[in-house]
Amino acid sequence: MMIPYGRHSLDAADIAAVVDTLQSDWLTTGAKVQEFEQAVAQLVSAREAVAVSNGTAGLHCALHAVGIQLGDEVILPPLTFVATANAVVMCGGVPVFADVDPETLLLDPQAVEDKVTPRTKAILAVDFAGQPCDYQTLRSIADRRDLVLIADACHSLGATLNGRPVGSLADLTIFSFHPVKAITTGEGGMIVTNHPEYAQRMRIFRNHGITSTLKEREAKQTWEYQMIRLGMNYRLTDFQCALGISQLNKLQEWVTRRQAHAAHYDKAWSSVPGIHPLRTRAGVSHAYHLYVIRVDQHVCGIDRGALFSLLRERGVGVQVHYIPVHLQPYYREEFGAGLGCCPHAESAYESILSLPIFPMLKNEEIDKVIGTIQDLVTHHDLVSAGVA
Ligand SMILES: *Cc1c(COP(=O)(O)O)cnc(C)c1O
């Protein structure tokens, strides 16, 4: 039995909520969508929320809403899932990779400043692992350079910075409800914003560029509708929103559990030479979507690749988040990206390892993960000789 790196939790109330909605008249674009949107908006102190079919669609909607088009540059970190950069390209924009801070692996505001050009339109920050970025500094850069500040918060629903929730820290914030994320709707996403005009553009974009929904037309007894821009079908179903509403009730408890698991891991590394957690900045309440360690091969005698394989052989489902996006063949070929553009991200990539973390992870499982790493590091000579 492999302990996975992430896993969703579902209970009887979640299942009942979905079944209830399946038995109603509206399977999609009914009352549950608005109810879920309002619940998330309230939770994160945002005025508006727009539910969409997944986090990637949310990124696309947000970049569309701020008007990213051909040739516009968007600055983002390379240590993220490919979808962050892909969404920029979907709008015709150019992803410009700025390096991360070597200790937190969050977008470094100074690196952002260095990459701003007259074509830059937005900063797209990523709350890597669930830790909010330095939004205070990013905000001041955005204001000074007249840029929109967008947060890819697919890792950080439930996190706060100086007491303020993620969702209230940028102009637009994107969440994902994929099963490994903080809460799930199967597939799903949401964008929150305080700007009604962005929200309006996103509602139209998720619905084919049409200004009214079927439900609104039914209420008005009319067949007429207007398509005013090109749009997508990025709608989220009512039964998925019913699941989201039910899951949201558990978010706070789950974040607290993730934080306790992280604290349990953190305590262990002082007695394991060469293994270090990432740094958490002051004022941060971390959502711990991921628990990431750095493996210092020169101290612990075993490299990240070997540790990855040996842990998996021993039933610990580790992962690596992420291969820097600018090293992917597509970005090398289409955008001339490659080694040397973001040295901190590139060197971090050689040593990072994501350990299992999810709300229902048991303390015995954490102890097994820690014990296995301890064992592999202690006996690395035997391991590399093929004896252990
Ligand atoms: C999960 C994730 C996405 C994409 O979300 P989906 O719902 O899977 O489309 C985007 N950015 C980051 C950082 C993610 O972790």
Side-chain angles (χ1 to χ4, degrees):
M1 271 289 283
M2 182 86 86
I3 308 170
Y5 88 87
R7 182 168 164 74
H8 63 270
S9 308
L10 283 180
D11 63 15
D14 295 329
I15 293 165
V18 174
V19 171
D20 245 25
T21 307
L22 287 174
Q23 288 166 333
S24 75
D25 287 337
W26 292 90
L27 293 190
T28 192
T29 323
K32 289 294 171 191
V33 178
Q34 214 179 7
E35 194 183 325
F36 186 33
E37 289 176 343
Q38 284 169 355
V40 173
Q42 191 182 7
L43 184 88
V44 304
S45 306
R47 279 173 67 183
E48 303 267 357
V50 179
V52 289
S53 45
N54 54 66
T56 308
L59 288 160
H60 192 188
C61 283
L63 291 161
H64 166 82
V66 307
I68 298 304
Q69 51 188 324
L70 204 64
D72 289 344
E73 294 177 358
V74 176
I75 299 177
L76 74 164
L79 221 54
T80 182
F81 186 50
V82 291
T84 316
N86 291 354
V88 175
V89 182
M90 286 179 216
C91 291
V94 179
V96 174
F97 297 100
D99 211 351
V100 295
D101 174 279
E103 292 182 8
T104 61
L105 305 187
L106 299 174
L107 186 58
D108 174 3
Q110 186 55 52
V112 170
E113 189 96 62
D114 295 343
K115 296 278 170 117
V116 175
T117 76
R119 291 177 301 282
T120 308
K121 290 285 157 45
I123 302 168
L124 178 48
V126 176
D127 295 343
F128 181 76
Q131 172 166 207
C133 292
D134 180 359
Y135 285 104
Q136 244 172 338
T137 310
L138 292 172
R139 166 57 66 200
S140 75
I141 296 170
D143 286 351
R144 227 173 330 110
R145 307 287 199 142
D146 197 22
L147 310 174
V148 182
L149 179 57
I150 307 174
D152 178 339
C154 289
H155 294 186
S156 59
L157 178 63
T160 65
L161 177 61
N162 300 322
R164 289 175 60 196
V166 166
S168 67
L169 304 166
D171 295 312
L172 297 120
T173 301
I174 298 96
F175 299 116
S176 164
F177 309 126
H178 180 277
V180 294
K181 306 290 166 75
I183 63 165
T184 191
T185 59
E187 298 278 358
M190 199 173 293
I191 314 98
V192 297
T193 179
N194 282 339
H195 302 278
E197 62 284 5
Y198 289 154
Q200 183 60 12
R201 281 181 71 92
M202 292 189 288
R203 289 204 173 92
I204 292 169
F205 189 63
R206 80 170 162 190
N207 188 36
H208 308 279
I210 294 171
T211 55
S212 58
T213 66
L214 176 62
K215 195 169 184 211
E216 287 160 355
R217 291 194 292 279
E218 294 271 302
K220 280 193 186 162
Q221 306 271 358
T222 179
W223 71 80
E224 280 187 279
Y225 58 84
Q226 286 192 309
M227 179 195 143
I228 58 168
R229 278 187 295 273
L230 191 62
M232 311 292 283
N233 176 356
Y234 277 162
R235 297 184 302 252
L236 189 60
T237 68
D238 267 51
F239 52 94
Q240 288 175 291
C241 289
L243 178 55
I245 294 162
S246 180
Q247 288 259 304
L248 208 54
N249 293 325
K250 281 138 327 200
L251 176 68
Q252 200 46 62
E253 185 203 324
W254 286 347
V255 169
T256 304
R257 280 173 181 259
R258 285 175 181 273
Q259 290 173 339
H261 297 334
H264 188 154
Y265 276 130
D266 280 344
K267 277 204 313 270
W269 310 130
S270 57
S271 62
V272 190
I275 303 289
H276 309 281
L278 299 182
R279 186 168 72 83
T280 301
R281 298 170 52 245
V284 162
S285 173
H286 198 311
Y288 285 107
H289 162 60
L290 301 175
Y291 185 84
V292 176
I293 54 168
R294 301 282 298 259
V295 181
D296 184 346
Q297 176 187 352
H298 302 294
V299 177
C300 66
I302 186 165
D303 71 30
R304 189 275 314 272
L307 201 53
F308 176 92
S309 308
L310 291 164
L311 281 165
R312 289 201 146 237
E313 273 173 29
R314 286 162 171 75
V316 179
V318 286
Q319 264 299 344
V320 173
H321 298 94
Y322 294 93
I323 301 168
V325 180
H326 69 289
L327 301 182
Q328 292 290 355
Y330 174 79
Y331 285 99
R332 288 176 187 262
E333 283 158 28
E334 299 293 325
F335 293 91
L339 275 175
C341 130
C342 296
H344 292 313
E346 290 158 19
S347 99
Y349 168 59
E350 301 297 328
S351 72
I352 45 179
L353 199 59
S354 304
L355 305 184
I357 193 162
F358 49 91
M360 300 309 160
L361 185 65
K362 298 188 187 75
N363 282 330
E364 308 87 81
E365 291 175 312
I366 300 176
D367 288 332
K368 177 189 164 171
V369 176
I370 294 167
T372 310
I373 292 173
Q374 226 154 12
D375 197 47
L376 289 168
V377 168
T378 312
H379 299 113
H380 64 87
D381 294 338
L382 298 176
V383 168
S384 53
V387 180

